[in-house]
């Protein structure tokens, strides 16, 4: 994880890809989004989605998983190089989440994260605030998911 | 599920409550948000959260589950009364999701949904578009979660 000073607007990082299986779609839906088109192939085919479709919350949660594991990978690589690792603050939330196209069983979604804005916090000068556009595209390159995440990032100058 | 014409700004509905157990928090986090403060009590206590804290995506997914099951309950009650049941369109996304306070192991969160705005779709006159504020509060009545959801709702006049 980087400090505020090392982050630039426009930086983009591929954070990994994930294949949504029918079983995985149904298991998530049974727990968190039990609508028929997320639980049953035939109901999915008859729906606007045209097939068994992943819950939007499943897609967002998978994006979160890839963000976290990518961040952990970066942090351990930095630690292995003997660098000081920045510890980001908890996220207060996000804006503009969009489910752009259905994610159907068998689709492989590749996620990326791009820095969209950076500013310093006036009330907490040791922190910067960034907005990152996290997005996913399917195996045909079509966008399926987008959200604007907000994160607090420590400033190197403010680090202990 | 209601038709557009039956929905009024300010309508509020309690959609149910859910207790986040330590095991449930850890199981979700292991799959979707493997940060230490979501996986381990001691790491949670040492963190800004002050205890084992649920992933924000877990909180949002539980809210989705309660929205879906509440909608299904309403639809079957309406069907039992012999009423025509409106079939809502898929959600294009949402705005302004906020994680306001941590949700810790043992917390019981009560969720509600309140209609914040209503308009008709100019491009698809048979549909209305609503924004609903979905929110959660803990057992002390403190707000922990809020999001502004967007949904397409059929107009009774446009129904087949």
């Amino acid at each position: 994880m980087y400090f505020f000073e090392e982050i630039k607007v426009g930086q983009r990082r591929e954070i990994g890809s994930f294949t949504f299986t029918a079983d995985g779609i149904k298991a998530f839906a049974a727990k968190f989004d039990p609508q028929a088109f997320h639980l049953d192939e035939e109901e999915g085919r008859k729906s606007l989605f045209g097939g068994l479709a992943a819950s939007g919350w499943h897609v967002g949660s998978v994006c979160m998983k890839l963000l976290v594991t990518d961040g952990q990978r970066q942090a351990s690589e930095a630690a292995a190089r003997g660098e000081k690792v920045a510890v980001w603050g908890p996220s207060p939330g996000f804006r503009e989440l969009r489910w752009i196209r259905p994610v159907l069983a068998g689709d492989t979604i590749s996620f990326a994260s791009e820095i969209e804005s950076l500013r310093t916090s006036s009330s907490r000068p040791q922190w910067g605030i960034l907005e990152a556009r996290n997005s996913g595209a399917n195996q045909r390159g079509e966008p399926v998911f987008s959200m604007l995440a907000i994160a607090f990032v420590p400033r190197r100058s403010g680090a202990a």
Side-chain angles (χ1 to χ4, degrees), chain A:
Chain A
M1 305 291 263
Y2 295 99
F3 286 94
F4 184 73
E5 287 79 358
E6 290 137 17
I7 301 169
K8 306 287 170 231
V9 168
Q11 278 175 349
R12 181 185 163 91
R13 191 171 165 89
E14 307 295 325
I15 58 167
S17 64
F18 183 88
T19 299
F20 287 79
T21 65
D23 284 350
I25 288 171
K26 293 177 196 176
F28 187 97
K31 263 189 115 99
F32 297 115
D33 192 351
Q35 301 185 78
F37 38 67
H38 298 321
L39 288 167
D40 182 271
E41 276 85 353
E42 184 55 28
E43 293 286 340
R45 267 192 293 274
K46 291 189 307 190
S47 77
L48 282 173
F49 297 129
L52 181 71
S55 166
W57 287 90
H58 191 186
V59 178
S61 296
V62 164
C63 180
M64 184 68 196
K65 168 69 176 288
L66 295 174
L67 282 167
V68 168
T69 50
D70 180 66
Q72 290 171 340
R73 195 164 42 230
Q74 288 184 68
S76 57
E77 288 168 6
R81 290 191 302 266
E83 297 170 13
K84 186 186 291 206
V85 175
V87 178
W88 289 26
S91 171
F94 54 83
R95 298 200 288 127
E96 293 180 25
L97 186 144
R98 285 181 290 168
W99 293 303
I100 303 164
R101 280 185 182 77
V103 172
L104 301 182
D107 280 354
T108 297
I109 309 302
S110 298
F111 291 90
S113 182
E114 182 167 338
I115 307 299
E116 194 153 306
S117 78
L118 284 169
R119 67 178 196 277
T120 54
S121 167
S122 47
S123 58
R124 292 184 282 181
Q126 72 277 34
W127 289 93
I129 301 168
L130 68 75
E131 290 183 318
R133 172 75 57 189
N134 302 325
S135 60
N138 64 22
Q139 62 278 10
R140 292 177 296 280
E142 299 163 335
V144 299
F145 175 77
S146 168
M147 60 177 273
L148 195 59
I150 306 164
F152 285 93
V153 184
R155 297 177 73 179
R156 191 174 278 283
S157 47

